[in-house]
Amino acid sequence: MKQKIYILSAILLASVTMFSQAPQKLNYQAVVRNSAGSPVISSPVSLKFNIHDSIASGPIVFMETQSATTNQFGLVNVEIGQLGNLAIVSWGNNPKFLEVDADINNTGTFIPMGTSQLISVPYALYAANSAAGPIGPTGRVGATGPTGAAGATGVGLPGPTGFAGITGATGVTGSNGITGPTGTGLNGITGITGPTGANGTPGITGPTGGGGNGASGPTGSIGSTGVTGPTGVNGAPGITGATGIAGAAGPTGLNGLPGITGPSGADGNAGPTGLPGSPGSTGPSGATGITGPTGAAGSFMIKDFATNFDGGPYSESTSYTQVLFVTVTTTLATDKIIVATSGYSNETNQDDACVYFYVENNTDGIIGETIQSGTQGDGQNSPWGTTSSFAGNFVLTCNSAGTKTIALYVKTCYSGSYNGNNIRLTATVLGN
């Protein structure tokens, strides 16, 4: 699980003297916490330090990455400059800003922890790079002068206050900072007092003990409800008395004066049905009723039937010849004309008996399909003739109601001569 890192840090500065070389290091101490604010204890961590010149995003004048391990309180202590050379930083020119990046558990991903300005104390390192004062002329040895006054105590500015951590157990008292050397004579600088070690995490408060109340005794059981007595039986209803006998009608009184017509009385009961009367004579026949409308589609009926036939011969031809025709009558434009043909033709002179034939609604110019009968070449060199049939069935339509002429047309297929016999043409009209 990724942890968001919070670092509470303080920089502990090395002391500087004017007559010994200053350590080129800065002590760095921080408490590493996760996103819940709890210290990350006993874990490896990598810290990357960048020092920027002039502004927080200015040029980097120092860069260093160190590895450390947090202690049981989440605390890390490192020395900036342990691996790099802080002497290359020109402390006397421009402000300096420290940027810190952290990598928990050394995953290879550094998370920026922020950039803050280095205030005052690090610039004491500049004293190590200052030029020495001029040497006075050598004079004669005089009397030992009085001891010079003690130099003023150097002032160290406190670092920024870190974030408040979770109260833990009291930490180990931090070590005392290095005491700076006593200055001698003028320009003596007192070393910087090291900062006080960070307070340890207070221990966790133990849980509050539970109350000592004893358990309540059980509630006594509720006594059972007594049995309900049975409901009494309802008494029997009294007997209804018999209706008294109606008294005899009194004598009819004298006719009184006509009274005002009273309201109509209620209808009396219907009298009994009379006996059937004798049958009446048959009335005259009624006029013939009007013909009813045509039935619904799908209920077909034969409307007309016509037939004609010819027993005479039919000889070969090079074009279609009308052989027979019949007439039929349609009553609707949607009527269908069913046509059937029959008959045959005998070949003569050893020629082919092969014909084409079709029927046509001559009135409306509607032609049915063409049928071929017989085979070309079937009678060549045959000692006897062959026969072609004129049997066929056709369905013709019409464009309007009225009388229609239906005709049969015949044509030879190839060559030869033959006689037609018993040729018949039958037409039937079907309609709604």
Side-chain angles (χ1 to χ4, degrees), residues 165-181:
I166 298 173
T167 304
T170 303
V172 180
T173 303
S175 58
N176 294 327
I178 301 171
T179 303

Side-chain angles (χ1 to χ4, degrees), residues 12 30 44 66 85 96 122 146 150 176 183 205 230 235 242 355 377 388 394 402 418 429:
L12 309 181
Q66 294 194 36
N85 182 12
K96 300 296 184 288
N176 294 327
T205 303
V355 295
S388 298
F394 307 85
Y418 35 82
V429 177

Side-chain angles (χ1 to χ4, degrees), residues 49-407:
F49 302 101
N50 295 325
I51 296 178
H52 296 266
D53 189 46
S54 300
I55 60 176
S57 60
I60 295 176
V61 296
F62 177 83
M63 179 185 296
E64 181 179 81
T65 301
Q66 294 194 36
S67 297
T69 301
T70 60
N71 64 10
Q72 69 271 27
F73 306 113
L75 190 69
V76 291
N77 289 282
V78 297
E79 293 179 342
I80 302 175
Q82 182 71 32
L83 303 179
N85 182 12
L86 281 175
I88 64 174
V89 180
S90 178
W91 299 102
N93 297 323
N94 305 324
K96 300 296 184 288
F97 294 82
L98 177 63
E99 174 191 352
V100 182
D101 300 335
D103 175 11
I104 293 295
N105 295 323
N106 296 326
T107 62
T109 301
F110 284 87
I111 300 176
M113 293 295 103
T115 302
S116 59
Q117 184 177 1
L118 295 173
I119 305 298
S120 299
V121 175
Y123 294 97
L125 295 175
Y126 177 64
N129 299 324
S130 62
I135 300 173
T138 303
R140 62 179 181 176
V141 177
T144 302
T147 303
T153 302
V155 179
L157 298 177
T161 303
F163 298 103
I166 298 173
T167 304
T170 303
V172 180
T173 303
S175 58
N176 294 327
I178 301 171
T179 303
T182 304
T184 58
L186 298 175
N187 300 326
I189 301 174
T190 301
I192 301 168
T193 302
T196 303
N199 293 330
T201 306
I204 300 171
T205 303
T208 304
N213 295 328
S216 301
T219 302
S221 59
I222 298 173
S224 59
T225 302
V227 179
T228 302
T231 302
V233 179
N234 293 329
I239 301 171
T240 303
T243 303
I245 301 171
T252 303
L254 299 175
N255 292 331
L257 297 174
I260 300 172
T261 303
S264 299
D267 294 338
N269 296 328
T273 303
L275 297 175
S278 58
S281 58
T282 302
S285 299
T288 303
I290 301 172
T291 303
T294 303
S299 301
F300 287 97
M301 60 178 293
I302 297 176
K303 288 189 174 183
D304 196 2
F305 177 84
T307 182
N308 194 359
F309 64 92
D310 182 358
Y314 162 70
S315 299
E316 66 176 324
S317 64
T318 56
S319 60
Y320 283 102
T321 301
Q322 178 178 306
V323 177
L324 296 174
F325 72 89
V326 295
T327 58
V328 292
T329 302
T330 60
T331 56
L332 293 174
T334 57
D335 288 347
K336 299 293 187 295
I337 304 173
I338 308 302
V339 181
T341 59
S342 61
Y344 63 94
S345 176
N346 288 329
E347 176 193 14
T348 61
N349 300 327
Q350 298 183 354
D351 286 323
D352 300 327
C354 178
V355 295
Y356 294 116
F357 60 95
Y358 66 87
V359 296
E360 179 180 358
N361 175 354
N362 286 347
T363 304
D364 296 329
I366 298 174
I367 301 175
E369 63 178 329
T370 300
I371 297 178
Q372 178 185 357
S373 177
T375 304
Q376 297 181 18
D378 60 355
Q380 183 67 34
N381 299 321
S382 174
W384 58 83
T386 57
T387 299
S388 298
S389 172
F390 287 106
N393 291 286
F394 307 85
V395 178
L396 298 178
T397 59
C398 56
N399 294 332
S400 61
T403 301
K404 311 295 179 182
T405 299
I406 309 301

